[in-house]
Amino acid sequence: ATFAPTIELLILARLVQGLGGAAGIAIGRAIVRDCFSRERSASMIAYVTMGMVVGPMVAPYIGGRLDEAYGWHATFLAVATVAVPVLLTVVVILRETHVHEGNRAVFAPLVNGASVLLRSPAFWGYALTLGFASAAFFAFLAAAPLIAVDFMGMSPSEYGKYFPLGALGYMAGNFMSGKFSERAGPDRMIGLGNALGIAATLAMVIAASTGTLHPLALFVPMAFTAFSNGLVLPNAIASCVSVRPDLAGAASGISGAIQLGMGALATVITGHVQDGTLLPLAIVMAVSILISVATAHM
């Protein structure tokens, strides 16, 4: 990506980067489920996610400063600098956690596991809840830089200063999940999170309907939406990989694909309906959370 001479090769490099990044997401969730019960894994996934969100919280500010000082190439060099020690740590320290008996084949168990999971209404309910709740956040990621930089006149580094509001909200939500999911249960936490998400996105719709175009009208409702995601996502993930604990790896991969697929769809829709105001983004986010409420009842 650093040395890509065309946008097409840059996009291809980013695709390969995404393929690699998916391993950490899918396998990390399965590892947690291997080690803990459903209720306990919801708490543990929440704590793990708190650590994971530190990177996205500081990355936009760092990336904005690197871009302003050295150009966009510096961002990918910084990613490589971080990735190398992570790779070495995984190779040296990470042990096998999957203790279920079985052969070492790769694709046959994945196909068989997928056929079982995709026939399960419970798995679909939790996976779609995860996907649509995440879609609200992905819609924000797609539109917020355009709204903030092009329409509000913010610099990349200024955008990076506001962005941590969402990350802090997400961390706080995950902290609450870590504290209370085992006691309250994943389903109750998902319901509470979606209720808060509806309130936050409707507040953004109301602010946008008045023609307000201010950073706080964009980032404060997003912070509360991110807080709601912190309640919904770890509990939905733990529930997905607990439908069949012996298929936790397949469940993690499929639910992760559904989550990112819904996120990708949300970014496309948000891009097509964008009209230079905050309202289209607010509507897409609100509808996403409302659908997440509906799928949670499956």
Side-chain angles (χ1 to χ4, degrees), residues 186-205:
D187 293 333
R188 189 175 299 174
M189 296 297 289
I190 290 172
L192 175 61
N194 273 331
L196 293 174
I198 290 173
T201 52
L202 289 181
M204 184 183 288
V205 170

Side-chain angles (χ1 to χ4, degrees), residues 1-7 9-18 59 62-64 66-67 70-84:
T2 303
F3 301 104
T6 66
I7 184 64
L9 287 176
L10 175 61
I11 293 172
L12 178 61
R14 292 283 289 148
L15 173 64
V16 175
Q17 186 181 2
I62 296 173
L66 287 172
D67 179 47
Y70 304 106
W72 62 268
H73 302 80
T75 302
F76 294 106
L77 292 175
V79 171
T81 302
V82 172
V84 169

Side-chain angles (χ1 to χ4, degrees), residues 204-240:
M204 184 183 288
V205 170
I206 293 171
S209 299
T210 65
T212 303
L213 199 62
H214 188 277
L216 293 181
L218 174 64
F219 288 99
V220 171
M222 182 58 225
F224 284 98
T225 304
F227 180 86
S228 77
N229 270 196
L231 300 179
V232 173
L233 267 56
N235 287 281
I237 292 167
S239 298
C240 281

Side-chain angles (χ1 to χ4, degrees), residues 42-59:
S43 296
M44 292 298 102
I45 288 174
Y47 286 131
V48 169
T49 307
M50 283 182 64
M52 289 172 58
V53 81
V54 172
M57 181 171 67
V58 300

Side-chain angles (χ1 to χ4, degrees), residues 25-45:
I25 297 174
I27 298 174
R29 294 170 178 176
I31 287 173
V32 173
R33 184 60 184 91
D34 286 344
C35 300
F36 301 98
S37 67
R38 178 196 176 196
E39 288 74 17
R40 186 63 174 161
S41 65
S43 296
M44 292 298 102
I45 288 174

